[in-house]
Amino acid sequence: MSINVSGVNKKFDDFVALDNVSVDLPTGQLTALLGPSGGGKSTLLRIIAGLEDADSGTVTIEGNEATHLPPQKRNVGFVFQHYAAFKHMSVAKNVAFGLEIRKRSKADTQKRVAELLELVHLSQFGHRLPSQLSGGQRQRMALARALAVEPTVLLLDEPFGALDAKVRKELRDWLRRLHDEVHVTTVFVTHDQEEALEVADEIVVINEGRIEQIGTPDELYDQPASDFVMSFLGPVTTLDGKLVRPHDIDVHTRPEDGTGKKGRISRLLRVGFEVRLTVSLEEVGHPDVEVTVTRANQRHLGLEEGLPVWISATNEAALEPSVQAAQA
């Protein structure tokens, strides 16, 4: 394992940020620390980086005890959400900074900087100041600067959080491709479920200072260990007392073999290629059910507000409350 965190606890006054957290982060993988704001994910990342001290527990990086090492001796690269660039230095100088303080030769530094600027597609912008770059370009510069010293581990704290949705999407695609090229062990913090599911090899879900579940994106999405994990990793609705994904509900405009619950479409909202339905059931006391269908399916069935429909969960789509309790 590249990073081993064992029994880590951290409190800020009376607030418990991390509660006996233990996790192994594999070498060469891109791991996401995912959870709600205040859940403890950034605190864990900063403890791995040496930017925060744990109250108790240990951190091992590539087999080396790192719990009490200062950040500069852990051989980690760290990328912040807001770039932390040297504003008076050019892009090339920003990337070269870590190499220069390590007394690398001028020739080696220039060669490494040129390689990295090409890697992050900023070769033509090396002479510019950070203020002359777009937000996405500045973040790529920050990644190049972190990679310059050839770190054992690359740590990213919500690296795309300050960017707009389109640029975030482009950058996470780029980060995945970059990781596949350089193969450095990478850990990134995010509260964006789609980002974690799309980019990461493995996801660590953290909530209220504790680890809820660790697994691949498919494992967490299809086999959530608790109702929190299922609810956090995508939309859910309730049908017959069970949590169900809205896209895992079948909609019919007539009863199918006597199955399904009868209701009426009380709201219809088109969002791109999706159509989101709110179905009010005839069953007294049952909450409204959220259903997602494709635009093509909506047109085929003639779904519209006010139309009576019958809905049922697809096979194995729901997570039984008893299963949730047993797995939590």
Side-chain angles (χ1 to χ4, degrees), residues 236-253:
V236 294
T237 191
T238 303
L239 183 61
D240 281 338
K242 303 172 185 177
L243 290 180
V244 189
R245 304 262 182 225
H247 59 257
D248 282 333
I249 296 178
D250 290 329
V251 182
H252 303 281
T253 53

Side-chain angles (χ1 to χ4, degrees), residues 281-303:
L281 299 181
E282 289 186 344
E283 182 179 314
V284 176
H286 196 297
D288 288 349
V289 180
E290 304 300 322
V291 182
T292 300
V293 298
T294 64
R295 176 70 168 153
N297 200 23
Q298 181 250 333
R299 286 173 170 168
H300 174 71
L301 294 173
L303 302 178

Side-chain angles (χ1 to χ4, degrees), residues 47-312:
I47 286 174
I48 293 171
L51 300 175
E52 294 280 358
D53 292 325
D55 296 333
S56 59
T58 61
V59 176
T60 304
I61 300 175
E62 289 293 328
N64 298 313
E65 168 66 45
T67 309
H68 302 295
L69 287 179
Q72 63 270 25
K73 292 190 176 181
R74 297 192 182 201
N75 196 26
V76 300
F78 202 97
V79 178
F80 298 92
Q81 179 175 335
H82 294 288
Y83 326 122
F86 297 108
K87 297 178 182 179
H88 64 287
M89 292 184 182
S90 68
V91 170
K93 277 293 209 178
N94 265 276
V95 175
F97 181 78
L99 297 170
E100 290 174 347
I101 64 173
R102 285 167 173 78
K103 307 298 184 183
R104 292 279 286 271
S105 71
K106 187 174 181 180
D108 284 348
T109 297
Q110 289 177 342
K111 180 181 177 183
R112 180 67 175 156
V113 169
E115 290 172 349
L116 286 165
L117 289 179
E118 182 177 355
L119 182 67
V120 301
H121 309 300
L122 290 176
S123 294
Q124 67 272 42
F125 302 117
H127 63 286
R128 293 191 181 183
L129 293 174
S131 61
Q132 296 173 306
L133 301 181
S134 69
Q137 289 170 337
R138 285 197 294 270
Q139 196 57 287
R140 297 208 306 273
M141 178 199 69
L143 283 161
R145 186 178 56 190
L147 289 168
V149 295
E150 299 178 13
T152 303
V153 175
L154 180 62
L155 306 176
L156 304 95
D157 192 2
E158 304 219 31
F160 311 137
L163 305 172
D164 64 60
K166 185 175 184 297
V167 176
R168 279 205 311 271
K169 170 76 169 118
E170 292 171 354
L171 272 184
R172 65 181 184 235
D173 291 344
W174 174 82
L175 176 63
R176 181 68 247 186
R177 293 194 302 271
L178 176 69
H179 178 266
D180 291 340
E181 284 186 47
V182 298
H183 296 294
V184 64
T185 301
T186 304
V187 184
F188 74 100
V189 162
T190 182
H191 61 266
D192 185 321
Q193 298 90 336
E194 184 178 332
E195 188 168 279
L197 290 168
E198 183 176 326
V199 175
D201 297 308
E202 183 173 81
I203 299 173
V204 180
V205 181
I206 303 176
N207 181 42
E208 296 183 344
R210 297 181 180 182
I211 293 177
E212 293 273 348
Q213 189 175 356
I214 303 171
T216 67
D218 285 348
E219 288 169 349
L220 266 63
Y221 195 83
D222 296 332
Q223 302 162 33
S226 66
D227 53 356
F228 172 81
V229 175
M230 185 170 185
S231 298
F232 196 74
L233 264 80
V236 294
T237 191
T238 303
L239 183 61
D240 281 338
K242 303 172 185 177
L243 290 180
V244 189
R245 304 262 182 225
H247 59 257
D248 282 333
I249 296 178
D250 290 329
V251 182
H252 303 281
T253 53
R254 60 179 185 274
E256 297 291 321
D257 301 322
T259 62
K261 289 187 172 292
K262 186 179 181 183
R264 189 175 299 274
I265 298 174
S266 57
R267 187 168 183 260
L268 184 151
L269 176 66
R270 182 183 176 188
V271 182
F273 66 90
E274 289 184 348
V275 177
R276 299 173 187 175
L277 311 174
T278 300
V279 178
S280 300
L281 299 181
E282 289 186 344
E283 182 179 314
V284 176
H286 196 297
D288 288 349
V289 180
E290 304 300 322
V291 182
T292 300
V293 298
T294 64
R295 176 70 168 153
N297 200 23
Q298 181 250 333
R299 286 173 170 168
H300 174 71
L301 294 173
L303 302 178
E304 58 185 30
E305 290 186 4
L307 185 73
V309 292
W310 285 258
I311 61 173
S312 59

